[in-house]
Amino acid sequence: MGREEAELLLIDIPGWQLSDDARQLRRSFTFKTFVDAQLFAATVGELSEEEGHHPDIAYGWGYCTITFYTHKIGGLHENDFIMAAKVNSL
């Protein structure tokens, strides 16, 4: 998927950003505690396992960053945007 198509799909998933090379989707969420961030990371992990589409997840005290891209193709696919929308709905 090229940058132009990705930017059009990005409109429908508030808070997400494209990486500089437009091959990844990323969003950081903030939380009041480490436990809240950890629970969110686990919830995203469970959703991802159910959907069979796994992001990179990094979390620590007060934050959780989710990065989607399709590992097989080394870039973005429509499924990455669908998963980002599902994460937004959590």
Side-chain angles (χ1 to χ4, degrees):
M1 171 179 305
R3 176 178 290 280
E4 287 181 17
E5 185 179 356
E7 287 176 347
L8 287 174
L9 293 172
L10 197 61
I11 294 167
D12 294 326
I13 50 169
W16 291 83
Q17 298 178 330
L18 290 175
S19 61
D20 290 340
D21 62 4
R23 291 179 169 260
Q24 297 182 346
L25 257 175
R26 184 173 296 116
R27 181 171 178 186
S28 289
F29 297 84
T30 57
F31 300 91
K32 292 186 178 186
T33 68
F34 175 82
V35 172
D36 290 340
Q38 185 177 38
L39 290 172
F40 182 75
T43 301
V44 171
E46 290 169 11
L47 170 66
S48 300
E49 186 63 22
E50 289 170 10
E51 298 290 334
H53 197 75
H54 305 94
D56 293 339
I57 302 173
Y59 70 93
W61 195 94
Y63 77 92
C64 182
T65 301
I66 309 295
T67 304
F68 279 108
Y69 66 101
T70 300
H71 296 84
K72 249 184 189 178
I73 63 172
L76 290 171
H77 184 276
E78 185 179 2
N79 288 342
D80 297 302
F81 292 85
I82 291 168
M83 287 300 297
K86 289 182 179 191
V87 169
N88 275 359
S89 71
L90 293 176

